[in-house]
Amino acid sequence: MSHLVSIDAAALAAGQAAGDFAASSAAARARLLRALAEALEAERESLVPLADQETGLGLPRLNGELDRTAFQLRGFATELERGAAHRVEDDPAVAGAPPAGRPRLTRVRVPLGPVAMFAASNFPFAFSVLGGDTASALAAGCPVVVKAHPGHPMLSRKTAQIAHRVIEQQGWTEGVFQFVDGASVETGVRLVQAPAIAAVAFTGSFRGGTALADVASRRPRPIPFFGELGSINPVIVLPAMLQRGVEAPAAALAQSICQGSGQFCTSPGVIVVPVGDDGDAFVSALSKALSTQSPHGMLTEGIRSAFDRGVSAWAESPAVRGLLAPARRDAVAPGPFLGEVAARDFIADASLHEEAFGPGALVVRVASNNQAIEVLQAIGGSLTVTLWGAEGENEEARALVRAASQIAGRVLFAGVPTGVAVTGAQQHGGPYPASTQPWSTSVGYAAMDRFLRPVALQDAPAWLLERQGVPC
Ligand code: NAP
């Protein structure tokens, strides 16, 4: 019970801090974000080994992830300094009768209020306590209440202590950043129900995300739920690509499928390959390249057993031909899995469109460009679609790009989908279930827009206009 009371207290403190934080200057919040980045880097020697101890992701990867997290915090600071949070659209008054005549209207943006942030398991820095959701919410002027992920509890606590220290040093009230831990469904539900919470940011499973989205929508006053719930990231290999050789792309794809043991939201889960000899050669090269990969152990037992269940379901499907056997369940690390299925069977069986989070993929063999498009339409929502071999403009390429853009937040024409650059142009989202709010992104500087709500000020007094979009 006392645990639940502490969640309420955290949300309440965030609610009490929200007004002043919303009215703070962009420059002050930029200083806060830069100080958080600096503090993370200063504590690298203690944070990275702790992260490795709890996640087993390895020092090189975790050092790189800490760099990315600090880069991201500073990037949002730069965006604030450029005026991104307080953009104003001003339409002067026009004399005369409507519709041409009108009052002066000034469109500004106000922060939503406290954001409940559910840290992800698979990026203990970049999508966790001081990751992109926290950075973008603080940049927007919203206090954050972090729900720690139980996969890295000690790292989460230590990172939160660093944040608390920086907040205090900078003279902010402690409600600006709150932290709750405790591995339980009850914790998350209580947080989303807390009256002071104004929005939720979530990265995790379809099951957990839909349950929490339901809680958010059943509140007396429902709140926005920004959830990233899974993605299978199809890679379409076109005939033009196959003519350039199969070994190098197959090796790159195998590496991407196994990167981080497949625990990337952008991991390629479906590879669409034309039927015929060239396609056969590519599938055989991919299978060979995958067989040489040795994925490391997975983040939690829950994630591992979900992967084993997903792969078993694929392997047991009469429509799927196994190309690489699933690993034994008692093996410490999962083995890569590759199966092959005809497009018609894939399209007909919705269970084959579900994400198996880990180092596995299905090859879907297509007889035509139109069938590749039907595969994309059956998938319906994905963070990414990769099109290999669409460099030349023709009707087929245009149709594929259109179909890919309709189902994905990011369409790649080279490279692999794992690896998500933090920039202004980034879009990490997409139709459901990739995101519950497909017009929003959870990576890149536009992520801040999720937490800012437009308000039109009509005939506003001079003192308010002089604030140039900074809420009062
Ligand atoms: P998860 O089980 O969804 O947990 C994420 C967070 O949500 C945790 O804090 C968890 O709290 C909370 N939660 C889960 N179910 C809940 C519920 N019914 N009510 C309230 N809170 C709930 O995700 P995970 O443990 O990180 O990984 C499990 C699976 O998620 C993976 O196998 C994978 O399929 C998927 N995943 C996807 C992504 C992605 O990028 N799309 C990233 C990571 C994981 P407690 O644990 O404290 O209960």
Side-chain angles (χ1 to χ4, degrees):
M1 191 61 193
S2 66
H3 176 56
L4 297 182
V5 171
S6 73
I7 297 167
D8 295 346
L12 195 63
Q16 284 163 350
D20 285 349
F21 195 51
S24 64
S25 71
R29 296 202 300 282
R31 275 196 300 280
L32 170 62
L33 294 172
R34 288 190 193 285
L36 289 169
E38 213 166 287
L40 265 187
E41 288 171 338
E43 298 277 352
R44 179 190 300 272
E45 297 307 319
S46 61
L47 290 173
V48 168
L50 192 54
D52 191 35
Q53 183 189 325
E54 292 191 303
T55 66
L57 289 173
L59 300 181
R61 144 81 198 261
L62 290 164
N63 268 304
E65 200 185 315
L66 189 146
D67 290 340
R68 174 202 167 102
T69 310
F71 175 87
Q72 191 162 256
L73 285 159
R74 291 195 178 100
F76 277 108
T78 305
E79 285 296 297
L80 284 175
E81 288 154 355
R82 290 177 47 215
H86 303 305
R87 274 199 313 264
V88 173
E89 192 173 339
D90 199 17
D91 283 336
V94 174
R102 63 176 188 219
R104 180 176 186 177
L105 280 166
T106 309
R107 189 175 162 104
V108 297
R109 303 197 297 171
V110 296
L112 293 182
V115 175
M117 198 291 262
F118 285 76
S121 52
N122 54 341
F123 284 88
F125 291 112
F127 278 78
S128 193
V129 178
L130 283 178
D133 284 333
T134 299
S136 52
L138 292 177
C142 297
V144 176
V145 184
V146 172
K147 153 73 172 78
H149 194 283
H152 48 272
M154 292 188 293
L155 175 70
S156 301
R157 266 179 234 124
K158 178 134 183 84
T159 313
Q161 282 162 9
I162 293 169
H164 288 312
R165 195 182 68 221
V166 171
I167 298 268
E168 193 188 339
Q169 281 167 353
Q170 295 243 330
W172 298 97
T173 156
E174 61 180 22
V176 164
F177 176 90
Q178 292 285 300
F179 175 80
V180 297
D181 59 4
S184 76
V185 163
E186 223 178 11
T187 304
V189 169
R190 183 77 165 213
L191 180 58
V192 173
Q193 285 174 335
I197 295 299
V200 183
F202 174 92
T203 305
S205 68
F206 182 81
R207 215 160 76 169
T210 47
L212 286 168
D214 197 40
V215 174
S217 70
R218 284 173 190 273
R219 288 168 44 120
R221 187 182 302 146
I223 53 174
F225 183 88
F226 297 96
E228 192 195 313
L229 311 185
S231 175
I232 57 175
N233 307 301
V235 175
I236 316 277
V237 184
L238 294 168
M241 176 77 177
L242 291 174
Q243 281 155 21
R244 285 179 237 146
V246 296
E247 304 295 334
L253 196 51
Q255 206 176 20
S256 178
I257 291 168
C258 293
Q259 193 175 353
S261 220
Q263 298 165 114
F264 276 34
C265 43
T266 49
S267 193
V270 164
I271 320 300
V272 179
V273 181
V275 294
D277 291 347
D278 288 350
D280 289 349
F282 179 78
V283 175
S284 154
L286 177 60
S287 186
K288 201 165 135 214
L290 266 177
S291 70
T292 65
Q293 294 282 326
S294 309
H296 54 68
M298 300 190 82
L299 288 160
T300 65
E301 276 175 29
I303 290 177
R304 173 63 193 275
S305 57
F307 177 64
D308 286 345
R309 276 197 309 278
V311 161
S312 298
W314 280 345
E316 285 159 20
S317 162
V320 175
R321 185 167 77 91
L323 300 173
L324 274 181
R328 285 169 41 149
R329 283 173 184 241
D330 58 358
V332 176
F337 176 81
L338 192 67
E340 187 180 44
V341 58
R344 207 181 32 235
D345 294 331
F346 177 84
I347 291 165
D349 185 349
S351 74
L352 297 177
H353 314 160
E354 284 170 23
E355 180 184 47
F357 196 65
L362 279 181
V363 171
V364 180
R365 301 301 297 268
V366 292
S368 64
N369 201 63
N370 277 347
Q371 208 169 33
I373 290 171
E374 286 168 23
V375 167
L376 291 180
Q377 288 166 343
I379 290 169
S382 183
L383 290 169
T384 70
V385 171
T386 303
L387 301 177
W388 277 355
E391 289 80 12
E393 190 189 358
N394 55 50
E395 200 165 321
E396 291 200 333
R398 279 196 301 273
L400 258 182
V401 172
R402 186 182 310 140
S405 306
Q406 276 165 350
I407 74 149
R410 180 163 55 110
V411 180
L412 294 84
F413 297 89
V416 290
T418 39
V420 186
V422 183
T423 72
Q426 187 55 273
Q427 177 59 28
H428 191 69
Y432 192 86
S435 172
T436 58
Q437 315 278 354
W439 53 88
S440 72
T441 179
S442 62
V443 178
Y445 302 124
M448 182 172 29
D449 297 339
R450 293 176 296 172
F451 306 121
L452 289 160
R453 184 174 60 78
V455 173
L457 304 173
Q458 185 164 326
D459 290 329
W463 66 266
L464 192 49
L465 296 176
E466 277 161 17
R467 294 186 66 85
Q468 300 188 324
V470 178
C472 59

